[in-house]
Amino acid sequence: MNNKKRKKILFAILIAAVIILILLLHCCGLQEPVKEILGVQKSNGDLILKDSKTVEEMEQMMMKMSIPVNINASPHCAASGQPVNLCIENPSGSDKNLLVEVYLLDEDVNMDSFDEAQDVKSDNLVYSTETLLPPASHIECLDEDGEVLDGYGYLTKDIGSGAHKAVAVFKGYSSGGELQYVGKGYAFITLTVGDAD
């Protein structure tokens, strides 16, 4: 009887081992091999994408996250109250509406450690598009004679003569369907009123 019991136990262990082996083989067979999407270019060591579908997906992802904009990095106006050549443009390839605001910065603000919450003060706002710029559009204003000045705008407050450190804040909103905020970007500019001397 003891011998019969041993055979049953061995038989049960053998069946359990076979079932475990079948499950392991089945699980390992169903797993897809890990697809390497990055490679190394042998000539210079740069990372490259191996799959064109991945490239397209990454380009689409970057387009959703990017906020394309053009702005003059060193705008100038002859005197306070005169039009400034900010040259703010939402390019034709953009898929975002833009709201652009320009703030003066304190001289001690370091661009490498810029923190909007700490460095941008609402009372230092000197320019705003006030309305959204759709793709393929730019700012414009009228001069004293009523002529349209493309790329120019008026400051919202008087500032002293000289060169002023400033930051342009670009707030992006979706352009199709329901308007949704998608993110923001920054550009550091030097706004000059009168002579820089």
Side-chain angles (χ1 to χ4, degrees):
M1 189 111 158
N2 220 358
N3 210 6
K4 216 174 190 184
K5 215 176 199 184
R6 277 190 204 162
K7 283 184 181 181
K8 283 184 180 182
I9 291 173
L10 282 173
F11 187 69
I13 291 173
L14 182 62
I15 289 181
V18 169
I19 290 173
I20 291 172
L21 183 62
I22 290 172
L23 286 173
L24 284 173
L25 290 173
H26 182 68
C27 289
C28 292
L30 287 180
Q31 289 182 349
E32 292 182 24
V34 176
K35 183 173 129 184
E36 291 185 21
I37 59 170
L38 293 176
V40 177
Q41 193 170 10
K42 291 180 181 173
S43 63
N44 61 8
D46 286 349
L47 287 177
I48 56 171
L49 291 170
K50 291 183 173 182
D51 184 1
S52 63
K53 184 177 179 190
T54 305
V55 172
E56 291 170 8
E57 289 171 355
M58 290 182 81
E59 285 175 349
Q60 289 174 354
M61 183 176 70
M62 290 303 295
M63 189 60 182
K64 287 179 184 176
M65 294 180 354
S66 69
I67 300 176
V69 65
N70 296 324
I71 187 168
N72 184 356
S74 52
H76 178 267
C77 66
S80 195
Q82 295 294 310
V84 182
N85 64 338
L86 290 161
C87 301
I88 298 170
E89 176 190 29
N90 189 356
S92 60
S94 174
D95 64 346
K96 315 264 184 325
N97 291 304
L98 296 179
L99 178 67
V100 182
E101 298 172 332
V102 177
Y103 296 88
L104 295 181
L105 297 173
D106 293 337
E107 285 304 314
D108 64 340
V109 171
N110 184 344
M111 293 179 207
D112 294 331
S113 60
F114 176 74
D115 177 8
E116 182 183 5
Q118 180 180 334
D119 298 331
V120 173
K121 298 174 179 75
S122 61
D123 57 333
N124 285 348
L125 177 70
V126 293
Y127 178 81
S128 175
T129 55
E130 295 179 353
T131 60
L132 294 175
L133 283 176
S137 67
H138 58 271
I139 64 167
E140 57 185 34
C141 69
L142 299 177
D143 68 7
E144 296 167 348
D145 300 326
E147 297 290 320
V148 174
L149 298 173
D150 289 333
Y152 282 76
Y154 287 98
L155 298 179
T156 57
K157 68 187 232 179
D158 289 338
I159 59 175
S161 293
H164 303 274
K165 189 187 289 189
V167 64
V169 181
F170 311 104
K171 297 176 183 175
Y173 295 85
S174 59
S175 61
E178 187 178 327
L179 194 65
Q180 294 181 345
Y181 175 75
V182 294
K184 67 176 115 179
Y186 307 95
F188 296 98
I189 63 175
T190 301
L191 174 60
T192 303
V193 176
D195 293 331
D197 299 333

